[in-house]
Short mmCIF file of all heavy atoms in Angstrom, two decimals:
data_model
loop_
_atom_site.label_atom_id
_atom_site.label_comp_id
_atom_site.label_asym_id
_atom_site.label_seq_id
_atom_site.Cartn_x
_atom_site.Cartn_y
_atom_site.Cartn_z
N ARG A 49 -22.11 -183.10 204.02
CA ARG A 49 -23.01 -183.55 205.08
C ARG A 49 -24.29 -184.13 204.45
O ARG A 49 -24.99 -183.46 203.72
CB ARG A 49 -23.35 -182.39 206.00
CG ARG A 49 -24.08 -182.89 207.20
CD ARG A 49 -24.03 -181.90 208.34
NE ARG A 49 -25.18 -182.19 209.19
CZ ARG A 49 -25.80 -181.30 209.91
NH1 ARG A 49 -25.41 -180.07 209.93
NH2 ARG A 49 -26.84 -181.66 210.64
N THR A 337 -35.27 -178.96 210.57
CA THR A 337 -34.46 -179.05 211.79
C THR A 337 -33.77 -177.75 212.17
O THR A 337 -33.01 -177.73 213.11
CB THR A 337 -33.38 -180.13 211.63
OG1 THR A 337 -32.65 -179.82 210.45
CG2 THR A 337 -33.97 -181.50 211.54
N ALA A 340 -33.92 -176.63 215.81
CA ALA A 340 -33.13 -177.50 216.68
C ALA A 340 -31.66 -177.16 216.52
O ALA A 340 -30.86 -177.32 217.43
CB ALA A 340 -33.38 -178.95 216.33
N ASN A 341 -31.32 -176.67 215.37
CA ASN A 341 -29.92 -176.44 215.05
C ASN A 341 -29.60 -174.97 214.84
O ASN A 341 -28.76 -174.62 214.04
CB ASN A 341 -29.58 -177.23 213.77
CG ASN A 341 -28.57 -178.29 214.09
OD1 ASN A 341 -27.74 -178.10 214.95
ND2 ASN A 341 -28.66 -179.40 213.38
N PHE A 344 -26.05 -173.77 214.96
CA PHE A 344 -25.31 -174.18 213.76
C PHE A 344 -25.54 -173.16 212.65
O PHE A 344 -24.62 -172.68 212.01
CB PHE A 344 -25.73 -175.57 213.31
CG PHE A 344 -25.11 -175.95 211.99
CD1 PHE A 344 -23.81 -176.41 211.94
CD2 PHE A 344 -25.81 -175.80 210.80
CE1 PHE A 344 -23.22 -176.72 210.73
CE2 PHE A 344 -25.23 -176.11 209.59
CZ PHE A 344 -23.92 -176.58 209.56
C1 NAG B 429 -27.21 -180.16 214.27
O1 NAG B 429 -25.92 -179.83 213.75
C2 NAG B 429 -24.88 -180.58 214.30
C3 NAG B 429 -23.58 -179.99 213.80
O2 NAG B 429 -23.43 -180.12 212.45
C4 NAG B 429 -25.08 -182.06 213.93
O3 NAG B 429 -24.06 -182.85 214.47
C5 NAG B 429 -26.44 -182.53 214.47
O4 NAG B 429 -26.70 -183.83 214.04
C6 NAG B 429 -27.56 -181.62 213.99
N1 NAG B 429 -28.81 -181.96 214.65
C7 NAG B 429 -29.92 -182.16 213.97
C8 NAG B 429 -31.14 -182.45 214.80
O5 NAG B 429 -29.97 -182.13 212.76
#
Side-chain angles (χ1 to χ4, degrees):
R49 189 161 157 209
T337 54
N341 244 328
F344 173 80

